[in-house]
Amino acid sequence: MKIFLDTANLKSIKYWASTGLIDGVTTNPTHLSKESGDIKKLVKEICNAVPNGDISVEITETKPDKVYGQAREIATIAKNVIVKIPCHKDYYEVIKTLTDEGISINATLVFTLIQGLFMCKLGVKYISPFVGRWDDIDVNGIEIVEKMRYMIDEYDFEKTKIIAASIRNVKHFHEGIMAGADVVTIPTSVLEKAVSHPLTDIGMKKFLDDWKKLGIKQFP
Ligand code: G3P
C-alpha cells in the first residue's frame, strides 16, 4: 500500500517526504493554483523532493491534439512524472497513443467501474476514482474502489494500479486501505490527523508519569 500526498505545496511535500511516510504526490490544476511563482520550476522541485516516487501532473489543454502535445511535454519534465489526463471520451484515442509510446498515464476524474475498465484496456498506469465527490452526492464513494479491485484482479489488469482519490477524512483513508486500493492519495490535513491518536498520547503520558515516580535521573 502506497501513500501519495494530494497537494502541490512544496514545504508540506518536503516535510512529509522526510518522514518516510509518503511514496509520491498527486497535483492538479486546483492544487497548483494555490501556489505562486514559476509553476514548471515548482513541478520540477516537487519531482526532486520525492525522487523515487511517482508525481502526477495534470494536463490543462482541452483539444485532443493539444492534449497530446502537452502530455508529451509534461512527460519530459522529470523521469518520475506521471501525466494526469481526465478519463473523458474525447481523450481515449490520445491516451491509447501515449501509452503505446510508453508514457505513464494517471487517468483522473474516474467515477464508474466501466470508466475504470476502459482505462485499464487503454493501458494506463493509474486510475483515480474520486471517493469524496461521490460522497458529496450521498453515494457511497468507496464502493467504486472495491469494485475496481475486484475487476483488476479478476481480469488480470495488473498493469493498472488504483489510486483512491478525493479523500476527505481519516475514515476515507481507512476505507481505502480496506477496499484494496494500491495507493491512497491524501491531503496534508488528513495525514496530520491520521498520524495522531489520543490514546497513544494519553498512554505515553501515563508511562512517563509512572516512571517519574521512581526519580531515576539517568537510564540506562
Ligand atoms: O487530486 C484529485 C482529488 O484528490 C481532488 O479531491 O477533494 O477536490 O474532491 P477533492
Side-chain angles (χ1 to χ4, degrees):
M1 156 61 74
K2 290 190 172 179
I3 300 171
F4 288 0
L5 206 57
D6 197 17
T7 182
N9 182 276
L10 187 59
K11 188 162 169 275
S12 303
I13 292 166
K14 283 184 171 173
Y15 169 70
W16 288 106
S18 71
T19 65
L21 285 177
I22 63 166
D23 308 288
V25 175
T26 53
T27 70
N28 64 42
T30 303
H31 292 336
L32 287 168
S33 70
K34 295 174 187 156
E35 306 303 321
S36 55
D38 177 341
I39 292 299
K40 190 169 179 182
K41 184 166 167 284
L42 170 63
V43 168
K44 269 204 172 97
E45 289 171 323
I46 292 172
C47 294
N48 294 338
V50 192
N52 303 318
D54 284 348
I55 312 299
S56 289
V57 179
E58 192 159 340
I59 55 132
T60 55
E61 292 287 349
T62 54
K63 299 249 177 315
D65 58 335
K66 296 264 186 190
V67 166
Y68 174 71
Q70 187 184 40
R72 287 169 58 83
E73 274 294 304
I74 290 173
T76 64
I77 292 174
K79 67 176 181 16
N80 55 336
V81 158
I82 307 292
V83 183
K84 216 176 178 182
I85 301 182
C87 69
H88 188 282
K89 62 178 174 41
D90 292 355
Y91 304 145
Y92 285 12
E93 200 180 337
V94 171
I95 291 172
K96 180 71 176 119
T97 308
L98 291 165
T99 56
D100 286 349
E101 291 173 2
I103 293 181
S104 296
I105 303 294
N106 174 358
T108 188
L109 291 165
V110 176
F111 290 97
T112 70
L113 181 64
I114 293 172
Q115 282 179 314
L117 171 62
F118 292 155
M119 293 300 110
C120 287
K121 290 178 74 64
L122 296 182
V124 301
K125 180 169 185 181
Y126 294 110
I127 45 180
S128 293
F130 276 38
V131 174
R133 298 196 187 182
W134 269 127
D135 283 23
D136 291 348
I137 57 170
D138 195 22
V139 174
N140 180 14
I142 207 65
E143 256 183 45
I144 188 77
V145 178
E146 290 160 355
K147 290 177 178 172
M148 286 183 176
R149 179 76 277 150
Y150 166 81
M151 173 187 71
I152 286 179
D153 296 347
E154 184 66 19
Y155 301 106
D156 298 330
F157 287 119
E158 68 285 343
K159 199 173 152 187
T160 300
K161 306 298 178 197
I162 304 167
I163 301 180
S166 182
I167 298 297
R168 299 292 171 71
N169 48 51
V170 176
K171 185 169 173 293
H172 277 166
F173 187 4
H174 178 116
E175 291 173 339
I177 297 166
M178 295 309 293
D182 299 286
V183 180
V184 177
T185 189
I186 53 180
T188 311
S189 57
V190 172
L191 189 50
E192 279 158 1
K193 289 194 187 92
V195 291
S196 310
H197 194 286
L199 292 183
T200 305
D201 300 343
I202 292 164
M204 275 171 66
K205 185 176 181 320
K206 175 88 174 60
F207 284 152
L208 294 174
D209 289 350
D210 292 344
W211 175 256
K212 280 193 194 103
K213 292 175 192 156
L214 292 174
I216 296 173
K217 292 279 176 278
Q218 180 69 30
F219 178 75

